[in-house]
Amino acid sequence: MVDLSVVPAHVTEIIVEHLDVLSRLMFRKTCTDFRGMVDRDHLFIKNLHITYYYNSIEIDDKQGFQVNYQDIGGLGTLVQCDKEHELHKGKNFIELFKIDLRALILNRNLTIGTLHLIHEHHVPTSILIRDDPEAEVANARIDGRIMNIFNDLENQLRVENLVARMRVPWELKKVFIRLNPNSIKSLKFEVDYGSNGLRQLFRSPDFLRSEQLRRLTSFHSEEPFDLRDLHKIAHCSVIEVKVMRRLTEEQIEMVKAALFTNPNLNQLKISVSWSPRAIPMPEMAEEPFWRSAPYPGNPRIRISWRCRNDEAEFRGPRFSGEVAAEKEKEEEIPVLRAPRNFFDDEFD
Amino acid sequence: MSVENAPVVDVDEAAIPVEKKMYYRFESNDKKEFRVSELAIQQSETLNRLVEAMGYTSEDVENKPAIAIENIDGKTLKLVFQWCEHHKGEAIPVDDGSVPKIVEIPEFDAKLMDIDNGLLFKLIWAADYLNIVQLLNVSCKKVANMAQGKTPAQLRRVYLLPSDEEDEAAKRAAQEAQDPRAREVEEEFEERKRQGGNSFF
């Protein structure tokens, strides 16, 4: 009987290229030769959406793999799924979810283009608690749950763009420690409750050191973030932060000082996201106007800024358009060295 | 010797010059003969170069022996030439490097490839050997489609693949067949290990 092994290796690779990611991961488990073949070239998922709802979880790669694991009345069965999962219908969705998710993201060679991680609701605890009898303390149990969602190894999951909406900051923190900081190019996150998500980022030194991280968008920060930490992310070329209260003039000065450490700055926007819990502040200026100041040691390049009622906007030497957040290509400006002890310097 | 004629097709007289309407004769490794139009041959880079290098005239095609394709059997070659005749004149696709590949399997191709897996793998092998890019694409897509939603164990059954254990056992058996002393040495080594020694010396 003729089997697939009669086909030359380069043809098998063509077959692999026709497979979707999940099938590729299954294919690599068939034999040693195929495992090597799939692993040799990086696996890549362009988009992966993982969404947690009240009683269901959805995985979707937008390329044909889409499964909704739904828990009805605590029965925990898979009720809605793509054609390939029809066979599994009615089976325990918790186990299936774990199997599918592990198959998708627990491969060291995998790179995810954009990971959308949306927590519309708390992660159903029954899904993610690790069977660890020693994890009696609440926090330990929380850690245990997360260890089952992602790679058990820290800093392994390669994601280029992360779009995350979490309910509480620790969820975001645990995501950060699973991601490989050297692969991340843009972060967009939102945290509903608790302290703001930026603080979690400030506590993740690997990310802050990553020069790949160029774009950062943070929404719904509950409290004004610690502006003194802003210099830690000033190497990002595009930063957009939504806070719950207006910045004072002192705070604006502090932001400006932090930005002078980044000669590659494109744009920073800090805007107020009003909510019932936001504390109204007196208006700072009626009319928006731009001001500018040169970088210390290099008067040819400047930072411009303006403060309107609900928005403080800063533009650096790399600013090149109206909507910088969507602009991928940046013109070549030689990278300049940041001044030392920037907080001690006085700027115009 | 059996002769299987290629399917009769309408030819656009205006588009194709008269001298191009030539049918070449090919012979499979089990001595089955096929007649294939020159335009259909263009789908195969290998055959196209071969007939160009031969420079046959219409008389040569009839008088000289059929061109032998020694690596492919008649059943497979028939499928290949049926495909080439159906798709003759079509542009040959260029690989754009995208992954996963976006390939649609036309209805004709789907019917043509409605065959057992063994023959399908032979067809892929032939498409690669004869360098027929689009046939290789659609046949690989067909094989890839067979993998959708399958577990590794199911995939092994579909692709008729041995498991790692079977594979290793086969390799070991082949090695032993080549060198019967190897097994004896291995057993001796295991025995010494059990007795506490790590070395033969």
Side-chain angles (χ1 to χ4, degrees):
Chain A
M1 193 70 180
V2 181
D3 63 43
L4 190 60
S5 60
V6 300
V7 172
H10 69 272
V11 177
T12 315
E13 287 192 16
I14 298 174
I15 294 170
V16 172
E17 285 173 4
H18 283 287
L19 296 171
D20 61 47
V21 170
L22 191 61
S23 300
R24 237 176 280 167
L25 290 167
M26 292 297 172
F27 187 72
R28 69 181 285 285
K29 289 181 182 170
T30 54
C31 71
T32 320
D33 290 346
F34 293 162
R35 187 174 306 133
M37 185 182 294
V38 173
D39 286 352
R40 195 168 53 245
D41 297 319
H42 277 194
L43 292 160
F44 186 76
I45 302 179
K46 198 173 176 188
N47 275 297
L48 184 66
H49 295 245
I50 302 173
T51 312
Y52 301 91
Y53 298 103
Y54 173 64
N55 60 356
S56 68
I57 302 175
E58 188 177 274
I59 306 180
D60 194 348
D61 74 347
K62 303 291 179 192
Q63 286 185 330
F65 177 76
Q66 194 262 332
V67 194
N68 189 307
Y69 309 83
Q70 198 162 357
D71 190 3
I72 292 182
L75 295 175
T77 52
L78 180 66
V79 292
Q80 184 191 335
C81 54
D82 62 356
K83 215 190 296 177
E84 281 71 39
H85 279 71
E86 282 290 326
L87 285 174
H88 302 302
K89 225 168 177 178
K91 290 187 181 169
N92 185 308
F93 88 109
I94 297 167
E95 287 308 313
L96 285 173
F97 171 74
K98 282 182 182 172
I99 290 166
D100 284 344
L101 192 59
R102 279 175 178 275
L104 274 173
I105 66 173
L106 290 191
N107 190 294
R108 283 177 182 234
N109 298 307
L110 175 72
T111 298
I112 299 174
T114 304
L115 174 63
H116 297 257
L117 205 56
I118 310 297
H119 287 207
E120 294 284 1
H121 194 269
H122 265 306
V123 180
T125 51
S126 56
I127 292 172
L128 301 167
I129 288 178
R130 189 169 55 176
D131 296 328
D132 184 357
E134 292 179 11
E136 289 173 358
V137 185
N139 282 342
R141 291 187 71 86
I142 286 166
D143 283 350
R145 291 170 204 163
I146 294 297
M147 292 293 273
N148 264 351
I149 308 177
F150 286 107
N151 202 324
D152 286 350
L153 302 168
E154 289 190 7
N155 301 337
Q156 289 293 329
L157 186 61
R158 275 198 289 269
V159 173
E160 291 179 353
N161 308 298
L162 175 71
V163 179
R165 193 165 82 236
M166 304 291 171
R167 285 168 54 84
V168 286
W170 63 258
E171 292 173 336
L172 193 61
K173 180 185 168 191
K174 294 296 178 183
V175 172
F176 284 153
I177 65 172
R178 300 287 167 252
L179 301 182
N180 182 337
N182 295 320
S183 66
I184 199 91
K185 291 175 183 164
S186 89
L187 283 174
K188 187 173 182 178
F189 52 78
E190 181 179 323
V191 175
D192 290 348
Y193 303 109
S195 62
N196 65 68
L198 270 177
R199 194 160 294 161
Q200 301 303 330
L201 185 66
F202 294 149
R203 289 172 185 167
S204 308
D206 289 334
F207 274 92
L208 298 175
R209 280 196 290 269
S210 168
E211 293 191 359
Q212 297 293 322
L213 180 61
R214 308 299 295 165
R215 204 171 290 268
L216 177 69
T217 312
S218 163
F219 291 110
H220 296 275
S221 300
E222 191 171 73
E223 302 158 9
F225 58 87
D226 189 350
L227 292 167
R228 286 196 174 274
D229 281 335
L230 190 62
H231 71 280
K232 293 179 181 173
I233 52 171
H235 65 283
C236 297
S237 58
V238 178
I239 309 168
E240 192 175 352
V241 184
K242 284 200 176 179
V243 294
M244 300 296 274
R245 63 178 80 175
R246 239 172 251 149
L247 302 188
T248 63
E249 282 191 35
E250 278 180 359
Q251 286 172 323
I252 296 286
E253 285 302 310
M254 203 179 285
V255 172
K256 191 167 53 121
L259 294 180
F260 275 125
T261 63
N262 177 17
N264 304 306
L265 176 74
N266 182 331
Q267 190 178 26
L268 165 68
K269 267 188 188 176
I270 302 173
S271 52
V272 179
S273 172
W274 292 108
S275 85
R277 281 185 288 176
I279 303 164
M281 295 286 283
E283 293 191 348
M284 287 168 52
E286 287 298 326
E287 293 295 328
F289 58 94
W290 285 96
R291 298 173 65 189
S292 72
Y295 273 72
N298 194 339
R300 287 185 302 130
I301 56 172
R302 302 173 76 85
I303 280 185
S304 306
W305 71 96
R306 70 173 172 182
C307 303
R308 291 186 287 189
N309 289 339
D310 290 342
E311 186 177 270
E313 186 179 354
F314 299 83
R315 291 174 180 180
R318 278 180 185 264
F319 180 75
S320 54
E322 192 62 33
V323 189
E326 299 302 322
K327 197 170 169 66
E328 287 293 334
K329 201 176 174 184
E330 292 168 358
E331 62 178 290
E332 282 301 314
I333 296 176
V335 176
L336 304 170
R337 220 168 47 188
R340 286 185 179 180
N341 304 324
F342 61 94
F343 277 118
D344 300 335
D345 294 335
E346 286 190 5
F347 306 122
D348 181 17
Chain B
M1 183 190 295
S2 66
V3 177
E4 297 191 23
N5 291 320
V8 178
V9 289
D10 293 329
V11 178
D12 185 353
E13 298 285 347
I16 303 158
V18 177
E19 59 270 20
K20 290 276 182 185
K21 284 174 63 181
M22 193 159 76
Y23 283 79
Y24 286 91
R25 288 161 54 227
F26 293 96
E27 190 179 80
S28 64
N29 62 3
D30 50 0
K31 305 295 177 197
K32 287 184 180 170
E33 194 177 302
F34 301 89
R35 283 174 178 272
V36 190
S37 69
E38 190 176 15
L39 199 57
I41 287 170
Q42 286 174 8
Q43 289 292 327
S44 161
E45 196 184 326
T46 308
L47 293 182
N48 198 31
R49 283 188 183 175
L50 183 69
V51 296
E52 272 180 13
M54 286 176 142
Y56 275 8
T57 61
S58 303
E59 290 77 34
D60 289 339
V61 169
E62 294 304 326
N63 299 331
K64 293 189 176 178
I67 300 164
I69 302 177
E70 292 179 355
N71 298 331
I72 304 173
D73 61 37
K75 214 172 171 183
T76 313
L77 207 54
K78 183 182 174 183
L79 292 172
V80 170
F81 287 144
Q82 276 179 346
W83 187 92
C84 289
E85 287 291 352
H86 187 82
H87 291 278
K88 67 184 175 185
E90 290 179 10
I92 294 169
V94 181
D95 187 5
D96 61 357
S98 63
V99 176
K101 303 275 181 205
I102 310 295
V103 172
E104 292 289 327
I105 302 179
E107 199 180 336
F108 174 85
D109 296 11
K111 273 188 183 171
L112 187 84
M113 292 187 294
D114 191 12
I115 48 181
D116 67 71
N117 291 354
L119 187 54
L120 182 60
F121 299 146
K122 281 185 184 175
L123 180 66
I124 291 176
W125 192 93
D128 177 57
Y129 178 70
L130 299 175
N131 206 349
I132 307 172
V133 178
Q134 185 58 7
L135 177 58
L136 189 61
N137 275 340
V138 292
S139 52
C140 285
K141 178 69 178 174
K142 162 93 177 172
V143 173
N145 286 349
M146 288 154 53
Q148 296 283 344
K150 300 275 195 312
T151 64
Q154 289 167 330
L155 285 177
R156 278 193 209 103
R157 281 198 293 278
V158 169
Y159 293 146
L160 313 168
L161 295 168
S163 65
D164 281 352
E165 294 76 31
E166 289 167 343
D167 207 20
E168 273 176 29
K171 277 182 189 166
R172 210 179 307 129
Q175 199 178 358
E176 280 170 20
Q178 203 174 13
D179 181 10
R181 172 73 184 141
R183 181 73 189 158
E184 291 169 26
V185 171
E186 199 177 315
E187 281 173 2
E188 201 177 330
F189 179 73
E190 289 297 325
E191 181 59 31
R192 278 168 187 263
K193 245 172 84 173
R194 272 197 295 277
Q195 288 169 3
N198 288 327
S199 165
F200 282 102
F201 308 105

